[in-house]
Amino acid sequence: MKGLLAALLVAAAQSGHAEPLPKWEFGLGATAFTLPDYRGSDERRGYVFPLPFLVYRGESVRVDRQGVRGIFFESDRVQLDFSLYGTPPVDSSKNQARQGMPDLDPTLEIGPLINVTLWRDRPAQEQLDLRLPMRYVIATDLSHAHGAGWVFNPHLALNLRPDVGGRWNLGLTTGPIFATSKFHEYYYGVDPQFATASRPAYSARGGYSGWMGLASLSRRYGKLWIGGFARYDSLAGAVFEDSPLVRRNFSWMAGIAGAWIFAESERKVDVFEPYY
């Protein structure tokens, strides 16, 4: 759970930079957010968690707004990463649509990501990228694990620096989602033994999984960082839209966070770090 929101909220943690930056930064704060049990659920939860703020700008390994990444190749316009992502668990006993069904374990998504810069204004620290992440999904509660298919989410990421009482970091991201039948079956399939009069058996197909849009905003005041995000997902036209577990053909999540950065390295590194 913390990993998911850290990825979304720390997505607003850094602005675009062309000047040398500390090789690492560390801070602590808190985050509050709301999100559905799963995409298409009509039930949601609110959470408050402590939020670690960690940035490491290494040559081959980086920890930043995109999570933990291994850098295999990087040029001025193209970058090949190895990235991680995660989603929270779902307690089926607390979700009406999934009553009597197995719980959904947290998932870990791991795989390559190609980032192509389509446009960049270095003086204004603004940038438009095409991002192509392909990740294999592992569902695990740390006592057991199993594969849950593949997800592909090609999207455009526009990074802007509006000046409204100071320079803010604005990120706008949008794109379609595609996934294999195994992934869709994990979230939206209903095995015959769990079928009821109101929840018929259902087998999910692979293919189009909907469209997502994400907006995030942040600002740094010296050692204080504040940020927030809002994400909207449309499931209209998704191959699993007729699943009995889909109660709405849209979903949304949002969160806010703040952190105090109290330690950083004396060593500086020269990197261009766009905001996502």
Side-chain angles (χ1 to χ4, degrees):
M1 176 70 72
K2 296 179 185 179
L4 167 67
L5 271 299
L8 291 171
L9 284 164
V10 177
Q14 286 83 39
S15 61
H17 288 283
E19 71 272 15
L21 295 168
K23 185 167 185 178
W24 59 263
E25 296 178 88
F26 181 74
L28 288 174
T31 175
F33 53 89
T34 177
L35 70 163
D37 285 348
Y38 54 89
R39 296 172 67 238
S41 174
D42 60 353
E43 297 182 55
R44 64 178 45 251
R45 316 291 161 187
Y47 304 89
V48 177
F49 282 123
L51 176 71
F53 184 102
L54 175 62
V55 176
Y56 178 75
R57 303 178 177 97
E59 292 185 5
S60 58
V61 177
R62 294 176 190 169
V63 182
D64 56 19
R65 63 201 176 278
Q66 300 175 47
V68 181
R69 300 181 294 134
I71 309 300
F72 294 123
F73 172 81
E74 185 174 29
S75 70
D76 186 57
R77 294 287 177 176
V78 180
Q79 181 173 294
L80 174 61
D81 298 346
F82 188 74
S83 61
L84 300 173
Y85 190 67
T87 60
V90 175
D91 184 344
S92 294
S93 67
K94 297 180 180 179
N95 185 281
Q96 288 296 319
R98 295 189 58 86
Q99 286 288 324
M101 296 184 65
D103 295 339
L104 295 175
D105 290 331
T107 64
L108 173 67
E109 300 180 12
I110 183 169
L113 180 151
I114 298 174
N115 190 89
V116 181
T117 299
L118 303 177
W119 166 81
R120 176 185 293 161
D121 185 337
R122 285 185 181 272
Q125 301 177 355
E126 298 181 337
Q127 185 164 317
L128 174 65
D129 294 321
L130 171 64
R131 307 188 72 222
L132 304 169
M134 171 70 81
R135 296 189 176 104
Y136 182 66
V137 184
I138 301 170
T140 179
D141 65 356
L142 300 183
S143 66
H144 66 273
H146 63 90
W150 290 83
V151 175
F152 178 50
N153 175 212
H155 57 269
L156 293 172
L158 177 63
N159 317 301
L160 302 174
R161 297 296 311 282
D163 188 351
V164 182
R167 296 298 296 274
W168 290 81
N169 310 307
L170 173 64
L172 301 172
T173 302
T174 187
I177 304 171
F178 303 91
T180 60
S181 59
K182 194 170 186 178
F183 180 83
H184 289 159
E185 186 71 15
Y186 183 67
Y187 283 99
Y188 306 107
V190 179
D191 290 339
Q193 64 266 38
F194 302 117
T196 65
S198 60
R199 186 178 63 206
Y202 183 83
S203 180
R205 297 178 291 118
Y208 181 63
S209 190
W211 194 280
M212 59 79 68
L214 172 70
S216 43
L217 188 67
S218 73
R219 186 173 176 182
R220 186 86 170 257
Y221 294 89
K223 297 294 185 181
L224 175 66
W225 169 80
I226 58 171
F229 79 94
R231 169 171 166 160
Y232 180 86
D233 281 63
S234 171
L235 278 64
V239 294
F240 54 80
E241 188 180 7
D242 56 345
S243 167
L245 299 179
V246 175
R247 297 295 183 90
R248 290 178 175 172
N249 66 355
F250 67 91
S251 65
W252 62 273
M253 61 180 72
I256 57 173
W260 183 262
I261 294 83
F262 54 79
E264 64 181 42
S265 67
E266 294 184 3
R267 181 182 174 185
K268 307 290 184 178
V269 292
D270 189 12
V271 296
F272 181 82
E273 189 170 78
Y275 160 72
Y276 289 90

